Every structure is written in C-alpha cells, then in structure tokens.
Amino acid sequence: MFHKMVLDAYLGIDLGTSNSAAALYLSDQPDHVMMVTMEQGGYLLRSVVEYLNDGRVVVGRRTLNTKGVLEGNVVMNMKRLIGRKFEDDTVKTYFPMCKAEVVKGPHGFASFRIPALNNRILLPEEVCSEIIRVLYTRALTVLGDRYKLKCMAISVPAYFSQDQRVATCNAIKFAGITLPVHVVNEPSAAALSFGIENEFKEGNVVTYDLGGGTFDITVMKVRNGNEFEVLASSGINTIGGENFDEYVLKYVVDEYQKNMHDGPLPSPSSTNYYRAFCRLEERCREVKEELSAARNEVDVEVDEYIRQNVMTKDQRRLNLQEVFELTLSLNKLNELIKDDIDKTFTEAYTALERANIELGIQNAGLTKDDVSKVVLVGGSSRLALVRSKLGAEFENRISQTVKVDECVSSGAALYAYEIDVGKMGVTDVTKYNIYTCPGSRHNRNKWQVFIEKGSVLPLSKEKIFRTCEDHIGVFKDELYEGNTKEDAHQLAAMRVHGITEYDDGHAVELRYKISISQGGVLTYSVTEVESGKLLVEDTIVGYGK
C-alpha cells in the first residue's frame, strides 16, 4: 500500500494590537514563506474579540458591532494590557481603548469583566487566545493532510517584560495548542523575513517597527546575508496607531463642538452618545489610513454620525440648516501625531548610540550614515510623516521589498524552523537588567546585577549565595527587572525551602542558576553546593509567582 509522505510545517504568529497574522514555513519550500489567508479574505485578522450572549465568540469583525460595544462584550487593545498590573498608571490610560470594562484580576493584573459570560473575569491572554485559536485553525485548514505542524513561534515587542512574555505564552496554552512554542522579538522576526527576501549580504540594518500599540527600534549587524546580530534595541510601549486614531477622533469632536456651539452632544452616559462615537471612531481610523495612502485630504462626514445617532427627531428638524463639514488634511494629521513620531526618532538615535558601545566604537563609530538598510515594520510605518522623516534621515536606504503587515509573521515562521533544526539566524540580546536582592529588599544599594542588559541570548549564569547561620532551612530572595534599580519591578519573591540544617548551624552555600531563552523567557533553579541537593527545579519566573 502506498503511504503519502507527510511533511513538516512551521507556524509563525504575529499577535498585534490592531491586527494579527499567521504564516507558514514549509519544509519542502525552503526559499518561501506562505501567508495564511483569513476566512473573510486577506491576510490580516483584526484583533477584536466579541462575546455573544448565546456563548459564541466572534473574532476579527472588520466593523465593530455597536450593540456589543455598548453591552461591554467587545474587547480591543488587549495586547496593551497583557501581563501588566491594574494599578499601573500608564495601563490605566488604555482602559477606554479596550471597550470592555477593565478590572483588577488575579495577582493584581489588569483583566476584563464580560457581561455575556455572567460577568466572568478574563485575563488579556485568555482573550488573546481566541485570536490565536482562529489563526491556528486557519493554518491547519490551509495545510490540509499533506503537512503537519511541528512547532510554532509567536512574536512579541522587543521591550516586552518577563511578565508580558510569560502571559503571551499562556495565551497559546489557553488556546488549547500543545505544539512546542518559541518566542521571538518582532524586530528579529522582521530581519529574518528581510533576509529571505533580499540578496543583501553585509552591513548594518535598522528595523523601525511602529505598530498599533508599541514601537521598537533595533540595530543589527548582517553577515553572509542570513546572520543577524542584534547590537542594540530601544522602544516605547505607549505609542502606536491606536493612539493616532484617538488623536484624530478628539480633533474631529473638538472641531464639531466648536463650530456647532458646543452641541448637540448629550451626556457621555447616554446610549446614543456611545453609539455615535463608536461609529465615528471607526471612521476616524479609516480617515487616518486613507491619508496614509498618499491622499492630501479626506472628508469626515460628522453629521452622518451625530445627527442620526445623537440628535432627536425634533433636534434634527430644528437644525436642518446647520450642517458641519470637516476636511482633515495630511498636514493636520502630521501635526496631531508629530510629537509621538519625534519620540520614535529620539529612540532611534538612542539605539544607534548603544550599538556604538556594543561595537566598542562609541567615540568614532556607527552613525546614521553607516546604516545600510532601514526595514519598516507595522501598519503605522506607512504614515506619510514616518516615510518623509526616514527619507530625510536615511535617503534611499529604506527597504521597499518587505511587506510591513506580513514580515513579522513570516519571519516568526522561519524562526520556528531555525530553532527546530538548530540553525539560528538571529543573535538577540536582553532588554533589561536582572537584579537579585537576597535579604535586602528595602536597600537598593545592596542589589546585585545578576544579568546585565545587552547580554547575548540564549544564556545561563550562576552565582553562589550563602545562608545566614542557624537559617532554619529557609532562604529568601527577590528578583527584579528594569533598566535601572530605580525603575525596576519585581519578578518574583522566592522562598527556598528544604535547605539542609546542620547540627553546628553553619551557613549553606546555594547555587542560583538563571537561564534566559532565545525568546527572552527567564527560568531559575537553586541547588545546594555541598550536597548537590536540588531545591528548586527550572521554574518560569514572573507573572504572579
């Protein structure tokens, strides 16, 4: 009997703030990565999840269901909250963008209350799992029975913290996927995609990644066309296309109220208010995208939303002669987003300075003139202001071959393959310092840097600590993550039990081992030096532990 050979395939997922995508690397097509087509057409799945009262879940609606938004059953921007604490002041600024009610969940992490699920509290990664499940299922449909998925990789912003990385991995578990999973930084994935699509062999490449909710800038050294060494990264987790949508909406509303003498907008607590603004918000997003597509101005039909959804019939009759027409120009859009775009360029030069230090040429080395190519990543990199500023800074060195919406997922698929076969094309680095503070929580001067920012991944490092005499079998320690001691946040408060107690009460030496994977996920173990006794097996650090 003839048996058809089943070939290996590798899945890459780009879990985005605004849109998500998936790609496949097929073992019999080594020079090509295939994008996964969504059921409704195209490669992008909008990162929106709606929970229905009958228990069904709708993922990726291109037009928001106003009724679902009003009921609090639609969740957006969940990536901005994943792995982050409810009490974080920055996180609180994202609450209105999420649509569903944000509450304090397990271990103090920001979560969502969903009325359609009997007010069940869902962590952001539980909501994200619905998006991942759809992408995974579509990939299986595309593959058919000729291929089997061997492993997968999911991308995260380069400046995601340990908590955010672990939460993203948990989202895959919530989706019911049992494949081996790897985490890859978005700029690294984009670089791999750039490598497979270009004949570029040697030089310095900068990835400018401006997505829906985050910005990353990464400087890489390219060798032999397919070896990428990350020299430096910088990023801002608070800037992206969703912010720009809010700026446009605020401008449109302010102009309407100013020209229509402050009305007729009712209280924000009214149903009609939210219905109108939900639809107007969608239109403002479309206007931004239309202006990004090289148009100089776009009309915003404000009356279509306000009159039909906010004004009563009597108000409409009284205001027939008052018609408000607003034209949003490209210049105005650029003015609204200029401050944020300027911040991204400040981060770009910060990354170049760090690359100089990494290369040991901080006094006479890498400048913008030494950059060979700039790779654009993320939908917001299409903005005319971004293109014009990059053009002014880097002239004709902007890559035109990489597709900004597809390169991260396609690079992630290639990354999954390379990890599986042991052929690693990207050398990445840690983005934060890891501090340890045994017994000295309230004295940051006694904190020790366990792993320095910029260390090459993957890595393992050991240190020896001594218990105090008469330690009664327990040793306390804490791990922190941050750029400096001042901004570091706690990853874990550890209590190591079962330490051997000697009759003479002498101190015991403990070997702490911290390992960080290629994707930046941190684990630790603790062993007694003298006895070899394993006290703590490899344990993922962070996320409420």
Side-chain angles (χ1 to χ4, degrees):
M1 180 182 293
F2 174 76
H3 294 281
K4 184 165 58 175
M5 180 180 292
V6 178
L7 302 172
D8 291 333
Y10 301 86
L11 175 63
I13 287 181
D14 174 13
L15 182 64
T17 305
S18 301
N19 297 288
S20 297
L24 292 162
Y25 181 89
L26 309 177
S27 57
D28 61 335
Q29 299 180 35
D31 297 322
H32 175 67
V33 178
M34 177 177 66
M35 294 298 299
V36 176
T37 304
M38 296 299 107
E39 190 171 3
Q40 62 268 54
Y43 299 135
L44 298 181
L45 180 69
R46 193 173 180 192
S47 300
V48 177
V49 177
E50 180 181 356
Y51 296 88
L52 305 183
N53 291 318
D54 60 7
R56 289 179 299 146
V57 180
V58 180
V59 178
R61 281 191 195 270
R62 291 181 175 173
T63 302
L64 292 184
N65 177 10
T66 306
K67 183 173 182 291
V69 173
L70 293 171
E71 293 175 346
N73 292 318
V74 173
V75 188
M76 300 173 64
N77 284 287
M78 64 287 289
K79 182 179 176 179
R80 296 188 117 166
L81 269 59
I82 194 167
R84 303 188 71 172
K85 298 288 189 177
F86 178 84
E87 298 297 343
D88 186 320
D89 289 338
T90 300
V91 171
K92 289 180 179 180
T93 64
Y94 302 143
F95 290 178
M97 299 181 185
C98 296
K99 304 306 179 190
E101 181 188 1
V102 182
V103 298
K104 183 185 289 188
H107 302 293
F109 287 98
S111 302
F112 302 103
R113 186 193 306 279
I114 307 299
L117 302 179
N118 294 320
N119 288 317
R120 181 180 163 193
I121 306 301
L122 296 182
L123 289 159
E125 54 267 37
E126 293 181 270
V127 182
C128 287
S129 73
E130 302 292 351
I131 297 170
I132 293 170
R133 186 180 292 113
V134 169
L135 295 172
Y136 176 76
T137 303
R138 284 299 300 168
L140 292 179
T141 300
V142 169
L143 289 174
D145 59 2
R146 187 183 174 193
Y147 298 91
K148 66 176 178 63
L149 284 176
K150 193 170 184 187
C151 69
M152 65 178 287
I154 189 165
S155 65
V156 296
Y159 264 69
F160 253 25
S161 68
Q162 171 73 2
D163 282 340
Q164 291 171 298
R165 290 170 189 270
V166 173
T168 301
C169 292
N170 288 343
I172 296 171
K173 295 178 183 177
F174 281 123
I177 300 172
T178 57
L179 289 174
V181 177
H182 306 288
V183 177
V184 59
N185 290 331
E186 290 168 2
S188 298
L192 286 172
S193 180
F194 171 77
I196 202 172
E197 295 181 19
N198 290 271
E199 298 298 322
F200 185 77
K201 297 298 182 186
E202 305 282 341
N204 302 308
V205 171
V206 170
T207 60
Y208 180 100
D209 182 357
L210 185 58
T214 58
F215 169 73
D216 285 323
I217 189 86
T218 300
V219 184
M220 301 184 186
K221 188 77 174 177
V222 183
R223 299 180 181 89
N224 303 319
N226 59 5
E227 297 174 13
F228 297 85
E229 177 189 358
V230 175
L231 300 177
S233 290
S234 195
I236 307 172
N237 283 342
T238 57
I239 288 180
E242 297 286 339
N243 302 78
F244 307 151
D245 297 344
E246 290 290 317
Y247 301 158
V248 174
L249 175 65
K250 183 178 185 308
Y251 170 73
V252 169
V253 170
D254 288 348
E255 287 296 299
Y256 182 86
Q257 290 181 299
K258 181 170 64 178
N259 285 274
M260 298 298 285
H261 311 293
D262 294 326
L265 295 181
S267 165
S269 62
S270 77
T271 299
N272 284 342
Y273 178 95
Y274 279 114
R275 180 179 292 113
F277 272 63
C278 181
R279 294 176 179 174
L280 184 58
E281 186 176 35
E282 289 288 286
R283 177 56 186 152
C284 288
R285 177 177 60 85
E286 294 169 358
V287 165
K288 181 201 69 178
E289 292 173 354
E290 289 172 25
L291 288 171
S292 301
R295 292 185 62 179
N296 289 322
E297 57 182 36
V298 177
D299 293 331
V300 185
E301 305 84 0
V302 183
D303 282 317
E304 176 184 341
Y305 303 95
I306 300 298
R307 289 178 181 276
Q308 296 302 318
N309 295 292
V310 174
M311 297 176 69
T312 65
K313 290 181 180 179
D314 289 340
Q315 286 175 319
R316 285 199 290 273
R317 279 196 297 268
L318 292 172
N319 288 274
L320 287 176
Q321 303 304 314
E322 290 190 85
V323 177
F324 178 63
E325 297 178 354
L326 174 65
T327 299
L328 185 67
S329 69
L330 179 59
N331 286 339
K332 174 52 71 173
L333 174 63
N334 290 345
E335 179 186 320
L336 293 174
I337 67 176
K338 180 181 181 299
D339 287 348
D340 280 354
I341 300 303
D342 285 347
K343 290 176 184 176
T344 69
F345 278 80
T346 299
E347 290 297 314
Y349 284 112
T350 298
L352 283 173
E353 289 172 6
R354 288 178 185 160
N356 287 337
I357 294 171
E358 183 68 24
L359 290 169
I361 51 176
Q362 58 265 46
N363 294 322
L366 196 63
T367 69
K368 66 179 183 181
D369 295 328
D370 298 306
V371 173
S372 309
K373 284 289 181 183
V374 177
V375 178
L376 300 184
V377 186
S380 296
S381 68
R382 289 194 181 93
L383 288 164
L385 183 59
V386 170
R387 298 288 178 124
S388 64
K389 286 181 71 70
L390 284 171
E393 296 288 337
F394 298 99
E395 298 172 339
N396 60 351
R397 289 167 286 167
I398 300 175
S399 172
Q400 303 296 332
T401 58
V402 174
K403 296 178 181 178
V404 299
D405 291 321
E406 302 173 16
C407 60
V408 171
S409 57
S410 60
L414 181 57
Y415 180 88
Y417 163 75
E418 291 194 350
I419 285 280
D420 184 57
V421 300
K423 171 195 167 186
M424 198 59 253
V426 173
T427 302
D428 218 323
V429 297
T430 55
K431 304 303 185 292
Y432 300 99
N433 292 317
I434 302 297
Y435 301 96
T436 185
C437 49
S440 57
R441 174 181 180 184
H442 299 296
N443 188 349
R444 298 192 179 216
N445 291 327
K446 294 184 179 180
W447 286 16
Q448 302 177 34
V449 177
F450 204 115
I451 294 172
E452 290 186 356
K453 177 178 179 176
S455 299
V456 176
L457 296 173
L459 64 81
S460 290
K461 190 170 182 179
E462 296 181 355
K463 278 192 176 183
I464 304 297
F465 295 103
R466 290 172 59 88
T467 67
C468 60
E469 295 181 359
D470 300 319
H471 53 79
I472 63 170
V474 179
F475 184 74
K476 298 179 182 179
D477 189 16
E478 296 180 359
L479 287 179
Y480 285 78
E481 174 186 62
N483 288 305
T484 65
K485 293 178 182 179
E486 287 66 34
D487 70 9
H489 70 278
Q490 188 184 81
L491 289 177
M494 299 175 291
R495 293 174 62 89
V496 180
H497 296 272
I499 302 170
T500 302
E501 298 179 56
Y502 293 94
D503 292 338
D504 61 0
H506 72 261
V508 176
E509 289 187 331
L510 303 176
R511 177 181 290 109
Y512 268 58
K513 179 182 178 182
I514 289 184
S515 300
I516 305 182
S517 70
Q518 182 75 28
V521 177
L522 188 152
T523 60
Y524 76 98
S525 62
V526 183
T527 307
E528 282 188 16
V529 174
E530 185 177 341
S531 68
K533 180 180 179 182
L534 180 63
L535 300 171
V536 179
E537 292 192 61
D538 284 346
T539 302
I540 292 178
V541 173
Y543 209 65
K545 292 184 171 59

